[in-house]
Amino acid sequence: MEKTRWAVLGPGTISGDFVTGLRSSEFGVLHAVGSSDAGRAAAFAEQHGAAASGTYDVLTRDDVDAVYIGTVHTTHAELAIRVLEAGKAVLCEKPVTPTADETARVLAAAAESGRPFVEAFKQRFGPFADLLRTIVTEGELGEVREVVAAFGYDQHPRTGRAFDPALAGGAILDVGCYPTSLAVEVARLTGRSALPVEFSEVTAERVNGVDADTTATLTIGDLAVELRTAVIREMPGAAVIRCERGEIVLPDAWGSRIESPSSLILRSEGEERMLTAPTVQPMGAEADAVSRALAEGRAEAPEMPWADTALIAEISTRWLEKARG
Ligand SMILES: NC(=O)C1=CN([C@@H]2O[C@H](COP(=O)(O)OP(=O)(O)OC[C@H]3O[C@@H](n4cnc5c(N)ncnc54)[C@H](OP(=O)(O)O)[C@@H]3O)[C@@H](O)[C@H]2O)C=CC1
Ligand SMILES: O=C1CO[C@H](CO)[C@@H](O)[C@@H]1O
């Protein structure tokens, strides 16, 4: 397969990790960097050895095949639509946009363009993600009944992107979307994704005008879901998928910024069995998913279907409304 030539938009924290991921990817190579500040793009390009840099207009270059959007939440939609209209593939950081309506607009642009569009939920990609999908789909422990998952960290000082309402800050959009993504994936794999979502309870502590520590109890069809997320409280990144005859435990469900998770535990009738998968730099794996979609002429990556992106956005939007009170 020919190498995919990537442009990175928004040379900030996560874009640095993405570029590291590209180095371990099979099919991707960093080619260009774009920023609202061309000087910042040039510095990042020099640091990481990109051939070209400039404003966001680099997305239109003929020698760019795919664009990674690593900017803050509020600018994803406009950039993603520009990239799709330019006929390139998109890997867009989570959450695609801050609202379900805006996300629907981006997905409509993706459908219109027919080009690959993938939301960068890194825990969906790589060998561990494949292992988890196999376990959930095979249903060795019987019917899946409940997903319990949390992602919380304690940021000091209480400032910056995660605490800024104007940048769509708050825990739900920053990290609550990871547990939500897990629940949505399990719902789809067990045949419930098209079923209604009902919230029964939401609790929320607010700091600086954003949801800072919040829980949600809901159902997707008959799948029970308990989610918790925070930007003011560290939480073990564990998740449990409860089944008829036991549970699938993910001791480290999200991995780190540079390593995917590696193990899960099947617990049933007092016995435990650990299954492992090789760790990878997950952002390289998600870049390769885009390359495969390009090579095979597909607009969606099977690991992250658009229906999941839409449902994650719907749940996040409703959770946010309830957390605002
Ligand atoms: N997958 C993962 O593990 C992670 C994902 N993320 C996601 O990545 C995205 C970026 O997060 P992160 O790297 O922490 O963000 P940063 O704060 O590092 O900013 C990233 C870029 O966004 C643009 N930007 C920053 N502040 C503003 C502003 N006030 N107004 C407009 N644009 C701004 C800048 O781009 P420019 O130079 O072009 O102006 C900047 O380089 C988010 O969607 C976040 O949720 C974040 C961390 C980890
Ligand atoms: O997606 C993310 C992963 O974790 C980070 C914190 O540890 C977040 O800030 C970020 O947005």
Side-chain angles (χ1 to χ4, degrees), residues 122-131 133 260 277-278 280 282 285-286 303:
K122 64 186 179 192
Q123 90 277 11
R124 296 278 190 116
F125 300 88
F128 179 78
D130 293 339
L131 170 68
R133 279 189 282 270
S260 60
V280 291
E286 61 192 7
E303 299 91 337

Side-chain angles (χ1 to χ4, degrees), residues 98-120:
T99 68
D101 285 351
E102 259 191 296
T103 299
R105 198 160 64 83
V106 173
L107 292 176
E112 171 82 10
S113 78
R115 304 305 287 162
F117 176 86
V118 179
E119 185 172 18

Side-chain angles (χ1 to χ4, degrees), residues 39 190 196 198 204 218 226 278 290:
T190 57
E198 306 280 356
L218 59 140
E226 276 198 33
V290 173

Side-chain angles (χ1 to χ4, degrees), residues 203-216:
T203 67
E205 180 180 344
R206 299 181 68 76
V207 173
N208 295 353
V210 302
D211 50 293
D213 185 350
T214 170
T215 64

Side-chain angles (χ1 to χ4, degrees), residues 34-273:
S35 167
S36 63
D37 174 336
R40 194 154 55 233
F44 188 95
E46 191 182 337
Q47 185 188 351
H48 296 285
S53 69
T55 64
Y56 292 141
D57 288 343
V58 296
L59 68 86
T60 61
R61 291 175 65 105
D62 289 341
D63 53 9
V64 164
D65 307 306
V67 177
Y68 170 77
I69 300 176
T71 58
V72 290
H73 308 163
T74 42
T75 55
H76 292 175
E78 185 197 328
L79 290 173
I81 290 170
R82 277 187 67 191
V83 177
L84 290 162
E85 285 175 354
K88 320 283 185 184
V90 181
L91 177 62
C92 180
E93 263 310 330
K94 37 61 59 180
V96 168
T97 80
T99 68
D101 285 351
E102 259 191 296
T103 299
R105 198 160 64 83
V106 173
L107 292 176
E112 171 82 10
S113 78
R115 304 305 287 162
F117 176 86
V118 179
E119 185 172 18
F121 269 113
K122 64 186 179 192
Q123 90 277 11
R124 296 278 190 116
F125 300 88
F128 179 78
D130 293 339
L131 170 68
L132 177 60
R133 279 189 282 270
T134 303
I135 294 295
V136 170
T137 309
E138 284 179 351
E140 182 184 324
L141 299 179
E143 191 190 48
V144 174
R145 294 188 165 158
E146 184 176 24
V147 175
V148 180
F151 192 147
Y153 67 101
D154 185 9
Q155 182 178 309
H156 288 281
R158 312 290 197 215
T159 56
R161 180 173 66 71
F163 287 90
D164 188 346
L167 294 180
I172 294 169
L173 292 176
D174 195 37
V175 282
C177 49
Y178 287 99
T180 306
S181 164
L182 176 67
V184 163
E185 184 171 37
V186 170
R188 174 171 48 78
L189 294 172
T190 57
R192 284 121 153 178
S193 56
L195 298 172
V197 173
E198 306 280 356
F199 279 77
S200 50
E201 194 184 359
V202 168
T203 67
E205 180 180 344
R206 299 181 68 76
V207 173
N208 295 353
V210 302
D211 50 293
D213 185 350
T214 170
T215 64
T217 307
L218 59 140
T219 49
I220 306 174
D222 64 351
L223 178 70
V225 177
E226 276 198 33
L227 308 173
R228 184 170 181 189
T229 187
V231 288
I232 54 166
R233 210 147 280 135
E234 197 72 41
M235 290 175 197
V240 180
I241 301 168
R242 298 214 166 97
C243 311
E244 207 178 340
R245 293 187 297 278
E247 52 194 27
I248 305 162
V249 181
L250 313 183
D252 168 27
W254 325 118
S256 72
R257 275 171 48 185
I258 50 163
E259 263 197 346
S260 60
S262 61
S263 63
L264 59 82
I265 297 164
L266 293 185
R267 191 179 283 156
S268 179
E269 295 169 357
E271 292 193 359
E272 285 194 354
R273 185 154 53 98

